[in-house]
Amino acid sequence: MSEGSKGPERSRRRGVIASRRRLDRAMSQAGFRTQVALAERMAEREGLDSPPTYLVSRVFREQPVDPTSLERVAATLGVESHTLYRTSSEEVREEEEDALPSAGSGAPG
């Protein structure tokens, strides 16, 4: 390990992360019912041979993507890309929800 490295517990993830909640809302407002429909429309808009389903999937799974990629998705949805960014308050809320016991856990009553 090189000097100054944070170690394996913290790796740097480049790119931007979109909010699933914001994506779902924008999709609904734009009239898309599925991610595949969104990818197909992107392919039409951009003159692609095949729909970028892998890209759309990564965006919706809240994985880091290149800012330009998120701009492509946003343009197809008819929104500005910054309106789709996942915020730190959304991250905190999800971490808190993950820390709560799930409804099905615990001793039977």
Side-chain angles (χ1 to χ4, degrees), residues 5-17:
S5 174
K6 300 269 187 200
E9 71 277 354
R10 184 169 181 178
S11 63
R12 183 177 175 132
R13 295 179 0 187
R14 297 182 187 266
V16 295
I17 298 176

Side-chain angles (χ1 to χ4, degrees), residues 16-56:
V16 295
I17 298 176
S19 163
R20 177 64 188 250
R21 182 180 55 82
R22 293 171 187 233
L23 284 162
D24 287 340
R25 186 179 326 129
M27 250 185 60
S28 177
Q29 290 173 346
F32 291 103
R33 297 186 70 151
T34 65
Q35 293 176 27
V36 171
L38 174 61
E40 289 172 347
R41 180 65 184 119
M42 282 180 68
E44 290 173 15
R45 282 178 44 95
E46 299 174 4
L48 304 174
D49 292 334
S50 61
T53 53
Y54 182 72
L55 166 63
V56 172

Side-chain angles (χ1 to χ4, degrees), residues 72-91:
R72 292 170 56 201
V73 172
T76 305
L77 292 170
V79 299
E80 296 289 326
S81 61
H82 69 87
T83 65
L84 300 176
Y85 289 174
R86 184 174 175 194
T87 63
S88 58
S89 63
E90 287 174 308
E91 290 176 26

